[in-house]
């Protein structure tokens, strides 16, 4: 009887520990507010979009980032976070190693975004992967750089007709057109 | 002792279930308008400062010595102090009745602050939706209220309050799916019913980034519509008529009832040559697309349809050549066959991409030669030139019908899940025919891959697609 009791208690404790362990894995601790303890360095929440695991849609994630100044640094920081991948749900859909080379924004809100060669060279997948990679990029820029109304993606300084042969990228993409 | 052990076990399990249940209540990361959930502290509504900072795009500066947090936007500054009900917004001080609280390392702000923020264009407009318990960001284009349907003789009116009525736009004018897009966020409620005899039914909201959109079904009796934008009274009125009248525009042309003529179908086995497409395990996309295209050719020729493949061996064919072939043959349908691949093996099933019914498509009659531009529809039409690259958008209605018919056949035979995306695919650039890009299965999903690597799996896939094309042909 005593052994049965000890066995049951051990099972209960293990179940509890296992639950807490999986819970921590699935939900990393929320970042605390205003962790910056300086009055000069600002912290800002960025809204990032990653692919859903089932490939149906995008999932949004807010992430605290040290505020970048200048358009290039702001966009580069966002793309770097997309490249790092999600901390909660979803999957990184931007081709690994993608970074920003140059960014131009004209007075009509057309952003020309020059991405590194990895964007095209490391892309793998079909139309869903291509759609969500582009959507992730455009939605993230639209959510965090409100002055950008359209985005023209180029790669390594050259025009890019398509990423993987499924969607045309030869024209600027309307930010409002990627739900 | 034994009873105590059981109780310990049950308590542990029950606590785990309760804790996981609280996760289920967590708000899902949202698409569409940005919102945050309002929490209640001592019976009063509060918003977390991280959420507030994100909504108004503010940078946070923390002064630990005086427990003060400064939110700074491009034009405004908000100063919050722990346990203090006074908040300084720029040069003005507001009393919020309830104090700013610090909980779990995060400031909680009384939601009343939302009404004290400067109502200028430099700051996102926030509104507290007490009914749903959330704070919503109103974009620059404002909000959109509840649509109201009324009848006035031969005309049915759908009146929608909208802060920026001038941004309303008809984006799809097919009777089955008539869509109107607004710049603002939808904050109202849909009508439970419409008056008997109304020409509009089944009003529903659909996802639209940076705004909102309504989709509705038009009665077959409806012959025209017009969109009236009243910026002064901030409302948009969609008038739908059953009688001919001045200023009304016609709906998208629909295929006449009965069988659609299908003489020539062009099947494009995507990739080829050095371009292998998706490679997953033993599955190579370029080989599978060619195999499936040949099987589909056999299925369709049994229906008396002449089928042309854009390639019949392992070689790469430029996109322009594929489009040129389809146009030269006056194809009645073009189907680009693909197999999908994704970064996560949980993604599976089939996806169809079809050209969207763009606003530019509205101005061209479907039956006319696209080289005859500027034939305005009835009403105050504008002349819009359609680039040849986008010519397949002229066939958006039929393309969507085809996509739905094929996806439905795949679902019925258990080859789903399926999804439909209205986005112009690369394979249909410059193709002057109804068409779709069809990702027939997902090779990175083990179940899908195993299925299409088997003879029977491919045979059934070809049969399903042929069945879908047959249903499209019968206008079902």
């Amino acid at each position: 009887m005593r052994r049965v009791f000890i066995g049951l208690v051990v099972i209960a404790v293990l179940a509890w520990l296992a639950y807490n362990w999986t819970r921590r894995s699935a939900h990393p601790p929320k970042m605390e507010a205003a962790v910056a303890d300086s009055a000069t360095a600002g912290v800002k929440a960025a809204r990032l979009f990653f692919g859903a695991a089932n490939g149906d849609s995008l999932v949004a994630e807010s992430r605290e980032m040290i505020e970048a100044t200048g358009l290039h640094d702001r966009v580069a920081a966002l793309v770097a976070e997309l490249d790092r991948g999600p901390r909660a749900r979803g999957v990184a859909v931007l081709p690994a190693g993608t970074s920003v080379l140059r960014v131009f924004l004209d007075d009509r809100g057309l952003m020309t975004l020059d991405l590194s060669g990895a964007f095209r060279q490391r892309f793998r997948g079909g139309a869903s992967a291509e759609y969500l990679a582009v959507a992730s990029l455009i939605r993230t820029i639209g959510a965090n750089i409100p002055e950008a109304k359209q985005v023209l993606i180029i790669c390594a300084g050259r025009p890019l007709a398509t990423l993987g042969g499924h969607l045309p990228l030869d024209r600027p993409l309307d930010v409002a057109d990627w739900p | 002792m034994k009873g105590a052990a059981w109780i310990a076990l049950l308590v542990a399990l029950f606590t785990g279930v309760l804790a996981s249940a609280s996760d289920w209540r967590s708000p899902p990361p949202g698409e569409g308008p940005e919102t945050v959930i309002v929490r209640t502290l001592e019976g009063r509504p509060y918003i977390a400062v991280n959420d507030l900072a994100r909504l108004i795009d503010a940078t946070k500066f923390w002064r630990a010595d005086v427990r003060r947090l400064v939110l700074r936007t491009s034009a405004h500054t908000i100063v919050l102090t722990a346990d203090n009900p006074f908040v300084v917004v720029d040069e003005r001080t507001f009393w919020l009745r309830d104090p700013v609280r610090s909980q779990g390392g995060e400031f909680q702000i009384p939601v009343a602050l939302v009404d004290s923020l400067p109502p200028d264009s430099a700051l996102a407009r926030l509104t507290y939706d007490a009914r749903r318990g959330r704070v919503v960001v109103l974009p620059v284009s404002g909000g959109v209220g509840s649509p109201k349907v009324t009848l006035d003789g031969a005309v049915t009116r759908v009146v929608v309050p909208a802060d920026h009525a001038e941004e309303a736009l008809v984006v799809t004018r097919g009777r089955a799916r008539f869509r109107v897009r607004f710049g603002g966020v939808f904050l109202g409620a849909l009508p439970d019913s419409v008056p008997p005899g109304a020409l509009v039914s089944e009003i529903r909201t659909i996802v639209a980034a940076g705004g909102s959109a309504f989709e509705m079904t038009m009665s077959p009796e409806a012959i025209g519509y017009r969109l009236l934008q009243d910026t002064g009274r901030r409302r948009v009125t969609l008038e739908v008529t059953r009688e001919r009248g001045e200023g009304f525009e016609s709906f998208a042309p629909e295929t006449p009832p009965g069988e659609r003529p299908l003489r020539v179908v062009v099947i494009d086995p995507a990739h080829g040559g050095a371009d292998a497409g998706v490679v997953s395990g033993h599955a190579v996309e370029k080989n599978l697309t060619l195999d499936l295209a040949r099987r589909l050719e056999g299925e369709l020729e049994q229906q008396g349809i002449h089928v042309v493949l854009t390639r019949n061996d392992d070689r790469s064919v430029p996109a322009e050549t594929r489009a040129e072939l389809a146009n030269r043959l006056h194809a009645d349908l073009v189907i680009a066959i693909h197999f999908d691949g994704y970064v996560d093996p949980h993604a599976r099933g089939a996806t169809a991409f079809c050209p969207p019914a763009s606003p530019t498509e509205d101005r061209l009659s479907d039956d006319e030669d696209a080289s005859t531009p500027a034939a305005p529809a009835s009403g105050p039409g504008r002349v819009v030139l359609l680039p040849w690259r986008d010519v397949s958008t002229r066939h958006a209605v039929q393309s969507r019908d085809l996509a739905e018919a094929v996806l439905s056949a795949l679902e019925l035979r258990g080859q789903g899940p399926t999804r439909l995306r209205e986005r112009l695919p690369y394979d249909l650039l410059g193709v002057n025919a109804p068409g779709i890009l069809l990702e027939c299965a997902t090779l990175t999903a083990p179940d899908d891959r195993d299925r299409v690597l088997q003879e029977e799996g491919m045979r059934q896939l070809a049969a399903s697609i042929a069945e879908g094309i047959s249903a499209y042909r019968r206008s079902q």
Side-chain angles (χ1 to χ4, degrees):
Chain A
M1 179 59 79
R2 185 186 174 91
R3 266 182 284 176
V4 171
F5 170 71
I6 291 171
L8 287 171
V9 169
V10 167
I11 290 170
V13 170
L14 286 175
W16 178 248
L17 288 174
Y19 167 75
N20 276 303
W21 184 80
T22 53
R23 186 178 158 83
R24 269 198 297 274
S25 310
H27 302 280
K30 189 178 180 182
M31 291 190 75
E32 293 212 332
V35 287
D37 57 359
S38 146
T40 53
V43 180
K44 197 168 183 177
R47 194 164 162 82
L48 307 171
F49 289 86
F50 298 98
N54 64 4
D56 276 352
S57 59
L58 296 174
V59 291
E61 180 179 315
S62 288
R63 190 172 297 181
E64 301 284 300
M65 294 166 61
I66 300 292
E67 188 185 31
T69 54
L71 181 66
H72 179 276
D73 290 349
R74 286 163 70 196
V75 179
L78 291 170
V79 171
E81 291 300 323
L82 288 180
D83 187 39
R84 281 192 191 101
R87 289 179 181 156
R89 307 185 325 152
V91 291
V93 283
L94 207 59
T98 300
S99 61
V100 174
L101 300 180
R102 282 168 286 266
V103 186
F104 305 97
L105 185 66
D106 73 12
D107 53 4
R108 292 174 304 163
L110 170 61
M111 175 183 284
T112 303
L113 179 59
D114 186 3
L115 296 173
S116 62
F119 181 63
R120 186 172 54 82
Q121 291 156 7
R122 296 199 188 167
F123 173 77
R124 298 285 180 277
S128 294
E130 187 168 345
Y131 175 84
L132 290 174
V134 175
S136 153
L137 193 61
I138 302 296
R139 284 298 304 274
T140 299
I141 288 171
N144 298 285
I145 316 280
E147 52 270 41
K149 306 298 179 202
Q150 288 186 311
V151 179
L152 175 65
I153 300 172
I154 63 175
C155 191
R158 303 170 70 92
L160 185 63
T162 177
L163 179 58
H166 306 92
L167 295 173
L169 295 178
D170 57 334
R171 298 272 176 84
L173 304 169
D174 279 350
V175 169
D177 200 25
W178 290 80
Chain B
M1 280 305 269
K2 188 177 180 183
W6 278 110
I7 289 169
L9 178 62
L10 288 173
V11 165
L13 294 175
F14 184 63
T15 316
V17 168
L18 271 187
S20 53
S22 70
D23 284 346
W24 300 339
R25 286 195 296 270
S26 306
E31 293 288 311
E34 279 207 64
T35 63
V36 296
I37 302 295
V38 168
R39 59 197 72 180
T40 304
L41 299 177
E42 295 182 12
R44 308 290 298 170
Y46 275 78
I47 177 174
V49 75
N50 280 354
D51 291 337
L52 176 67
R54 176 166 57 79
L55 293 185
I56 61 174
D57 196 27
T59 306
K60 292 173 289 192
F61 298 87
W62 172 238
R63 283 282 305 272
D65 52 343
V66 287
R67 301 184 70 205
R68 179 175 294 164
L69 185 68
V70 179
L71 303 184
R72 197 170 291 156
T73 70
S74 57
H76 299 288
T77 302
I78 302 164
V79 181
L80 307 156
T81 309
D83 304 321
N84 193 329
F86 291 97
V87 172
V88 181
V89 180
D90 298 331
E91 303 297 318
R92 301 176 63 196
T93 302
F94 294 91
W95 179 64
L96 298 180
R97 193 172 151 187
D98 302 302
V100 170
R101 297 180 187 277
S102 178
Q103 197 173 68
E106 185 177 21
F107 272 16
Q108 305 293 324
I109 318 297
V111 83
L113 176 66
V114 164
D115 297 326
S116 308
L117 298 176
D120 59 34
S121 60
L123 206 60
R125 278 177 60 199
L126 305 184
T127 182
Y128 173 40
D129 183 350
R131 190 161 56 95
R132 296 189 176 96
R134 60 183 191 168
V135 170
V136 182
V137 178
L138 287 179
V140 179
S141 45
V144 176
S146 307
K148 189 177 172 189
V149 183
T150 58
L151 266 180
D152 182 10
V155 174
T156 299
R157 290 195 177 87
V158 183
V159 181
V160 184
D163 281 344
H164 290 266
E166 70 280 4
E167 294 189 3
L169 179 73
V170 173
V171 290
T172 305
R173 59 186 184 113
R175 279 192 180 81
R177 285 178 213 86
F178 189 90
R179 292 176 179 176
V180 186
R181 179 181 177 143
F182 294 84
V185 174
F186 178 50
L187 294 170
L190 294 174
D192 291 331
S193 61
V194 296
L199 298 172
V200 172
S201 62
E202 296 177 41
I203 302 176
R204 50 209 173 263
T205 55
I206 55 172
V207 177
S212 50
F214 295 114
E215 185 177 83
M216 56 198 89
T217 305
M218 296 295 174
S219 160
E221 294 172 45
I223 62 165
Y225 72 90
R226 66 181 169 191
L227 198 67
L228 306 172
Q229 299 156 320
D230 188 344
T231 51
R233 296 166 76 179
R234 293 186 173 187
R235 69 181 191 187
V236 174
T237 304
L238 173 69
E239 290 189 342
V240 185
T241 180
R242 66 176 83 233
E243 292 175 1
R244 298 207 174 277
E246 190 70 24
F248 284 94
E249 298 193 49
S250 55
F251 293 100
E254 287 167 20
T255 310
E259 213 170 83
R260 289 180 166 106
L262 278 191
R263 291 172 293 267
V264 181
V265 170
V266 171
I267 300 175
D268 178 19
H271 306 285
D275 175 12
V278 175
V279 179
S280 178
H282 296 296
V284 180
E285 186 183 1
K286 65 172 183 177
N287 300 335
L288 293 172
T289 57
L290 184 57
D291 181 17
L292 182 60
R294 287 174 175 154
R295 291 169 187 269
L296 186 55
E297 178 184 26
E299 294 274 350
L300 293 178
E301 285 188 340
Q302 284 179 20
Q303 298 179 26
I305 299 170
H306 177 48
V307 177
V308 177
L309 269 55
T310 57
R311 69 180 175 95
N312 219 331
D313 50 20
D314 184 16
R315 63 192 170 91
S316 172
V317 182
E320 302 79 18
T321 308
R322 298 175 198 241
E324 194 268 334
L325 175 71
N327 293 339
R328 184 158 38 84
L329 292 168
H330 299 288
D332 296 304
L333 277 188
V334 176
I335 300 183
I337 300 283
H338 285 257
F339 285 87
D340 217 344
Y342 191 59
V343 287
D344 191 300
H346 291 101
R348 60 193 182 89
T351 307
F353 286 74
C354 61
S358 66
T360 48
E361 183 263 350
D362 285 355
R363 306 296 165 186
L364 289 173
S365 164
D366 196 59
D367 295 321
E368 289 168 346
D369 182 353
S371 63
T372 312
S378 61
R382 293 168 294 147
V383 175
V384 178
L385 295 178
L386 184 68
W388 184 259
R389 166 192 185 275
D390 302 336
V391 67
S392 63
T393 61
R394 294 177 67 226
H395 309 279
V397 174
Q398 299 98 311
S399 299
R400 175 153 182 144
D401 286 351
L402 172 67
E404 288 183 347
V406 171
L407 293 181
S408 173
L410 290 169
E411 281 278 10
L412 282 173
R413 286 173 173 252
Q415 291 153 333
T418 62
R419 52 191 87 79
L420 174 61
R421 298 194 196 279
E422 279 186 291
R423 189 155 293 276
L424 180 61
Y426 189 72
D427 305 65
L428 295 182
L429 292 186
V431 172
N432 188 16
I436 57 171
L437 180 159
L438 183 63
E439 297 279 0
C440 304
T442 306
L443 299 182
T444 43
D447 288 353
D448 279 14
R449 183 175 59 233
D450 293 346
R451 175 163 55 85
V452 301
L453 284 176
Q454 290 170 15
E455 169 75 17
E456 180 61 14
M458 283 297 255
R459 193 193 63 74
Q460 287 200 5
L461 198 50
S464 298
I465 299 169
E467 193 177 294
I469 293 171
S470 179
Y472 166 82
R473 186 186 202 183
R474 299 191 304 270
S475 299
Q476 288 179 344

